[in-house]
Amino acid sequence: MDAGLKDRSCPENSGVVVSVRGSVVDIRFEHCLPSIYTLLRAGSENEIAIEVLSQLDGQRVRGIALTPTQGLGRGMAVQDTGGPLKTPVGEAILSRMFDVFGQTIDRREAVTGVEWRGVHQGPPPLARRSTKTEIFETGIKVIDVLVPLERGGKAGLFGGAGVGKTVLLTEMIHNMVAHHQGVSLFCGIGERCREGEELYRDMQEAGVLANMVMMFSQMNEPPGSRFRVGHAALTMAEYFRDDQHRDVLLLIDNIFRFIQAGSEVSGLMGQMPSRLGYQPTMGTELSSLEERIANTDTGAITSIQAVYVPADDFTDPAAVHTFSHLSATIVLSRKLAGEGLYPAIDPLQSSSKMAMPSIVGERHYGLARKIRQTFAQYAELKDIIAMLGLEQLSPQDRNVVYRARRLERFFTQPFFSTEQFTSMKGKLVPLKDALDGCERILADEFKDIPERALYMIGAIDEVKTAQSADQPDSGTAKGGEEDADHVDEA
């Protein structure tokens, strides 16, 4: 190992390919052995990139290709770049989309006036980390009240296709840029190409692209590329946090694919698999990425990560290792999405380590507990309502149902990022207004107000406006449970 760590005084250091086995390439160097993580180039136009992952002996290294290896053969020359994989940082990268090599993929001109930094950086030292625990306000009622996020923390977002995951991410990006004067950075690990294109277009239409950076490694790219794109995105995020002293919102989709790419690389390198076939170094690899996401004395990187749970098994090693890093868990419900209750966040399955009286305060903590208790009682009563009807419930249980249904509708919210689809002006609701609304609903202040008056509003004071707008229709029949609701209230 010492040979690879000596001074890099070999500017024209070149080697020869010894063997190629898929993405794994062995290279022999006669004089200066490259160190671990050094980027090597091969091919007629240096189009093949190889990252050194191990030193086999005093003359040979083994690397993983970050690009396809078609055309690479034994005896071909390999050039040592003298440094690790690098990515561009600077003001010029805003509003652009990059691949793992820092090349633009948005069909616009190449970036200029940027600095190139290595993607392998250590986490900030403990002396630089902030000791204050602060809440990161999103302006989204259900998140701020029930699942408060930590400034400089990591939140996991669980959701399938069609439940509003991308819309929720887009809204958080919009609120970060428009109201927190921060930078948003989206990192797609193993993304489908259409998802990247759609997200780019959605961001453009929502008007948030100017303070945003996007980085993608598609699922058809080699595992080495997917394994390094997260580190490249974090290097960009660290520039805005440490150099520009700005808050950064980092969105990662999907963190499981990072672990999956690491497992592929580990298998290709011939390492003995660990439990359930995962790489033995999974904990270290995930920590090297997650520990760089931190709140420091100059700024904070707040991360929201989409998490796929294999076969819905929460004891899977990938899920267990990921959970140990998260400070909040947001679960999206397909049932709520089917009822039109957006954002479709399940209040009973979602949780946050920030929801403690010492952090959010006694009032907020007490309200959140009452709300969860109300939703839990409502969930238990749903079977009785389905079999016997609302009329068979006791007056106390009916009051629980009324409160829960009104809270469900109050937690819906029009988004800025969907204005062009819904024609409803987006609302950003301060935490104080959200708590006031929940408190007044739990106190039965709106018991005689129709449920729909609470649907898709911002602060609770908008209820009267919504109700007055509904006055001409007050005599029309209302369907479903809402109709039964009003009959019982009368």
Side-chain angles (χ1 to χ4, degrees), residues 16-27 40 42 48-51 54 56 61-65 69 72-73 78 269:
V16 176
V17 174
V18 177
S19 68
V20 181
R21 297 184 303 281
S23 292
V24 178
V25 186
D26 288 359
I27 305 143
L40 311 176
I48 299 171
I50 304 161
E51 186 180 70
S54 69
L56 302 177
V61 296
R62 177 168 291 170
I64 191 86
T69 55
L72 191 65
V78 177
M269 294 295 290

Side-chain angles (χ1 to χ4, degrees), residues 63-120:
I64 191 86
L66 306 185
T67 54
T69 55
Q70 284 91 341
L72 191 65
R74 283 187 294 176
M76 289 183 68
V78 177
Q79 190 64 40
D80 179 0
T81 64
L85 176 68
K86 293 184 178 179
T87 196
V89 297
E91 278 289 327
I93 69 173
L94 289 171
S95 81
R96 305 303 302 271
M97 185 190 287
F98 298 91
D99 64 9
V100 69
F101 300 104
Q103 299 165 344
T104 54
I105 53 173
D106 51 10
R107 297 183 179 178
R108 290 162 58 191
E109 72 284 352
V111 291
T112 55
V114 293
E115 177 192 345
W116 290 80
R117 290 185 184 174
V119 302
H120 299 283

Side-chain angles (χ1 to χ4, degrees), residues 347-364:
L348 296 178
Q349 292 192 56
S350 304
S351 62
S352 170
K353 292 178 182 175
M354 296 295 102
M356 297 166 60
S358 58
I359 297 172
V360 297
E362 290 288 350
R363 178 186 176 232
H364 185 165

Side-chain angles (χ1 to χ4, degrees), residues 252-289:
I252 302 177
D253 189 5
N254 187 305
I255 201 67
F256 173 76
R257 292 187 191 130
F258 167 78
I259 295 172
Q260 202 172 36
S263 181
E264 292 177 52
V265 169
S266 176
L268 289 167
M269 294 295 290
Q271 293 180 347
M272 186 72 72
S274 182
R275 184 171 163 237
L276 295 186
Y278 285 105
Q279 65 272 39
T281 53
M282 176 170 63
T284 306
E285 290 167 0
L286 188 62
S287 297
S288 69
L289 186 78

Side-chain angles (χ1 to χ4, degrees), residues 2 117 141 159 179 229 251 474:
D2 290 342
R117 290 185 184 174
K141 289 179 284 191
H179 302 278
V229 70
L251 303 148
S474 58

Side-chain angles (χ1 to χ4, degrees), residues 263-461:
S263 181
E264 292 177 52
V265 169
S266 176
L268 289 167
M269 294 295 290
Q271 293 180 347
M272 186 72 72
S274 182
R275 184 171 163 237
L276 295 186
Y278 285 105
Q279 65 272 39
T281 53
M282 176 170 63
T284 306
E285 290 167 0
L286 188 62
S287 297
S288 69
L289 186 78
E290 297 279 12
E291 288 303 305
R292 290 170 66 180
I293 302 169
N295 182 5
T296 69
D297 49 2
T298 57
I301 300 175
T302 303
S303 174
I304 298 168
Q305 307 168 9
V307 184
Y308 166 69
V309 181
D312 291 334
D313 179 14
F314 284 83
T315 63
D316 187 274
V320 170
H321 279 80
T322 305
F323 289 146
S324 65
H325 292 280
L326 301 178
S327 57
T329 302
I330 301 169
V331 180
L332 296 177
S333 161
R334 191 171 298 281
K335 186 175 181 300
L336 291 173
E339 294 174 11
L341 300 172
Y342 290 106
I345 295 171
D346 189 321
L348 296 178
Q349 292 192 56
S350 304
S351 62
S352 170
K353 292 178 182 175
M354 296 295 102
M356 297 166 60
S358 58
I359 297 172
V360 297
E362 290 288 350
R363 178 186 176 232
H364 185 165
Y365 176 72
L367 271 173
R369 282 198 62 184
K370 277 187 189 173
I371 293 165
R372 286 182 188 278
Q373 188 178 14
T374 304
F375 280 132
Q377 289 175 308
Y378 179 42
E380 290 173 3
L381 294 169
K382 277 182 178 176
D383 289 340
I384 300 172
I385 296 169
M387 289 186 291
L388 304 175
L390 198 66
E391 301 81 9
Q392 301 304 314
L393 297 180
S394 67
Q396 292 86 353
D397 285 346
R398 261 182 280 177
N399 280 336
V400 168
V401 173
Y402 298 153
R403 288 182 203 127
R405 287 179 60 81
R406 279 161 177 74
L407 282 168
E408 273 185 343
R409 279 144 187 78
F410 177 63
F411 279 142
T412 62
Q413 188 169 338
F415 282 174
F416 293 95
S417 52
T418 58
E419 283 180 1
Q420 63 266 41
F421 309 116
T422 62
S423 300
M424 285 191 283
K425 187 170 173 55
K427 302 284 172 69
L428 183 125
V429 184
L431 175 60
K432 180 183 177 298
D433 292 349
L435 292 174
D436 285 345
C438 295
E439 195 170 43
R440 291 167 69 181
I441 290 170
L442 289 170
D444 289 335
E445 187 176 325
F446 299 93
K447 187 178 178 182
D448 299 321
I449 300 291
E451 288 173 5
R452 62 178 180 174
L454 291 157
Y455 181 69
M456 284 296 171
I457 62 169
I460 197 73
D461 293 331

